[in-house]
């Protein structure tokens, strides 16, 4: 049998962000940056953060491929309203996580350090940046 066969199913233990926070952070400690890049399961990861834990997350960066419910929509134009993945991620970060700022940016081909990072705009890959304004006296 070929273990790379995509038809093969295996059981794997999954953990939520909240369970990892309980295991590795002390009471009152914050997550300074939550980076989510999980190839289509970003909503499952975000929904795995319990409501009380969101306040401990200072910033988040989430890669989202916009799978819009609007037939024929331009994938380069972010669908911030409706029921697509991008709209759901933005709504969750604004309304549930209550970040002060949520910003969406389309990934584009770019050169860095002599290397070309090529992401076709037609894929509709976006970065969603979310952050909290620091309270006075907070690092």
């Amino acid at each position: 049998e070929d273990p790379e066969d995509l038809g093969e199913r295996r059981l794997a233990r999954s953990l939520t962000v909240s369970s990892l926070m309980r295991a590795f952070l002390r009471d009152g400690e914050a997550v300074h940056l939550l980076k989510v890049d999980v190839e289509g399961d970003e909503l499952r990861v975000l929904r795995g953060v319990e409501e009380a834990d969101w306040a401990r997350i200072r910033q988040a960066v989430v890669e989202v491929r916009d799978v819009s419910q609007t037939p024929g929509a331009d994938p380069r134009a972010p669908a911030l309203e409706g029921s697509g993945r991008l709209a759901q991620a933005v709504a969750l970060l604004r309304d549930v996580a209550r970040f002060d700022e949520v910003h969406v940016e389309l990934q584009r081909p770019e050169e860095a350090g002599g290397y070309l990072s090529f992401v076709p705009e037609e894929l509709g890959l976006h970065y969603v940046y979310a952050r909290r304004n620091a309270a006075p006296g907070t690092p």
Side-chain angles (χ1 to χ4, degrees), residues 46-131:
L46 296 175
R47 289 177 181 139
V49 179
E50 294 170 15
E51 192 167 344
D53 290 330
W54 276 116
R56 296 174 63 192
I57 299 173
R58 304 295 303 151
Q59 299 178 85
V61 178
V62 184
E63 182 183 74
V64 180
R65 179 165 181 228
D66 191 19
V67 180
S68 177
Q69 299 298 320
T70 308
D74 182 350
R76 294 168 295 184
L80 299 179
E81 295 184 11
S83 58
R85 270 190 211 156
L86 182 60
Q88 289 180 60
V90 168
L92 191 151
L93 292 168
R94 282 187 180 147
D95 303 336
V96 176
R98 296 190 176 110
F99 279 100
D100 296 313
E101 298 176 33
V102 178
H103 167 94
V104 177
E105 193 173 290
L106 177 67
Q107 289 186 36
R108 301 181 191 283
E110 62 181 74
E111 187 176 335
Y115 293 96
L116 177 64
S117 170
F118 184 74
V119 177
E121 292 181 17
E122 292 75 23
L123 285 179
L125 285 173
H126 295 80
Y127 284 124
V128 181
Y129 299 95
R131 74 178 199 89

